[in-house]
Amino acid sequence: MSIPAVKESDRYRVELTQLSRNAPHSTTLNFTPTFKIESKPPLHLDHPATEVRVEDMQGNPIFYSHGYTLLPGQKLARLHYTLRPQAETFPWNAAEVTFIASGFWDDKGKMASAEITSEGLQLGFHKLTLTPSTTKMKHRKTNLPSLIELKIEGAGDAAMWARVKALSPRLNLAAFSDESLAHGSMDNRGMSWGSHAEARDWTANSSWSGSPKPGSVFRVALVPETKPDEFEFIVDVSTAQPK
């Protein structure tokens, strides 16, 4: 495969832009790949998690240590480049998620109010706190500042916790402005849980960035894990360019 090389899916375009020899005068082939990714619509807000896995042609893993090093006599390597969309910025459809709170933005579109839904209560969620954001951080893609901070808490027995985890293993949240598609961007700032005797308690924290329409619907949903896209490149490392 010649470099640069491009692979595409419905969601991403991945380009292997460069293959660099880290030690050009060594008898072993030590190299580093460089990738460039492009998210396709409607993933324009996405900042995917990336993973690179390297193997020789026999399927033996090669681990990174100042580059990837092939065994003597080998020159081909298989590169697996995996992209996983962020659950909180993925354009979920309403049928794919579980709504746990619902309300409205105020008449200035700056602050939202909401209450836990009956389904959220059935899942053990019992407290929702919305506050104006005090951070000056802007979302990576939209360059819009955070408007609100969201904290939602729940408690229940082990079976209830298992139900919540089955719906959203990392307690990821997304916000919806209507009945159809997630909007804006939730930056999930962490989740925690504890256990004592037969009881469990859990908390999810997020911030929301966007430009909501004043008076529009504000709905919060638990969202599942996203599915990754994997791209495979087979390269001749002997052709890599010296650094």
Side-chain angles (χ1 to χ4, degrees):
M1 177 180 288
S2 60
I3 309 298
V6 174
K7 295 290 183 74
E8 296 192 50
S9 70
D10 292 339
R11 302 192 294 190
Y12 298 106
R13 180 184 185 275
V14 176
E15 181 179 358
L16 175 58
T17 61
Q18 188 176 11
L19 204 63
S20 303
R21 288 280 297 276
N22 296 344
H25 303 297
S26 173
T27 57
T28 60
L29 295 175
N30 179 271
F31 67 98
T32 298
T34 302
F35 297 91
K36 178 182 178 182
I37 64 172
E38 178 183 333
S39 300
K40 298 180 179 180
L43 285 178
H44 61 286
L45 296 180
D46 190 34
H47 188 80
T50 63
E51 178 187 357
V52 180
R53 191 174 78 256
V54 179
E55 301 173 344
D56 63 20
M57 296 309 293
Q58 287 71 47
N60 300 307
I62 303 172
F63 299 102
Y64 188 88
S65 179
H66 304 291
Y68 299 96
T69 303
L70 287 174
L71 292 173
Q74 296 187 350
K75 65 177 185 178
L76 296 180
R78 180 179 284 112
L79 314 181
H80 300 274
Y81 192 69
T82 301
L83 295 170
R84 181 184 289 275
Q86 297 288 338
E88 63 267 29
T89 56
F90 191 79
W92 298 104
N93 288 306
E96 300 174 293
V97 306
T98 304
F99 290 103
I100 56 174
S102 182
F104 297 92
W105 288 97
D106 64 17
D107 56 7
K108 295 181 180 179
K110 299 296 184 182
M111 187 60 203
S113 60
E115 295 183 355
I116 298 174
T117 63
S118 59
E119 189 165 11
L121 293 171
Q122 291 172 12
L123 289 170
F125 291 97
H126 58 78
K127 185 177 181 181
L128 172 67
T129 305
L130 297 173
T131 56
S133 180
T134 58
T135 180
K136 296 182 179 180
M137 292 179 60
K138 294 185 177 181
H139 186 260
R140 291 178 291 249
K141 293 286 185 176
T142 65
N143 202 37
L144 293 170
S146 295
L147 288 183
I148 61 172
E149 303 289 335
L150 182 150
K151 179 179 180 180
I152 189 163
E153 301 169 67
D157 58 17
M160 181 76 75
W161 174 233
R163 287 178 59 197
V164 173
K165 289 277 283 182
L167 293 169
S168 184
R170 299 179 186 273
L171 283 189
N172 284 318
L173 304 174
F176 282 65
S177 60
D178 53 35
E179 298 293 331
S180 58
L181 195 68
H183 79 296
S185 170
M186 282 285 200
D187 283 329
N188 289 311
R189 298 195 168 181
M191 50 92 75
S192 60
W193 63 88
S195 61
H196 40 87
E198 294 299 316
R200 303 288 193 278
D201 56 78
W202 52 89
T203 302
N205 295 279
S206 295
S207 63
W208 191 92
S209 301
S211 52
K213 181 180 178 181
S216 61
V217 170
F218 176 77
R219 306 175 78 200
V220 180
L222 277 178
V223 298
E225 290 289 274
T226 57
K227 295 180 179 179
D229 284 7
E230 183 174 297
F231 305 86
E232 180 181 286
F233 300 83
I234 297 176
V235 296
D236 184 344
V237 182
S238 66
T239 65
Q241 298 297 313
K243 276 192 172 182

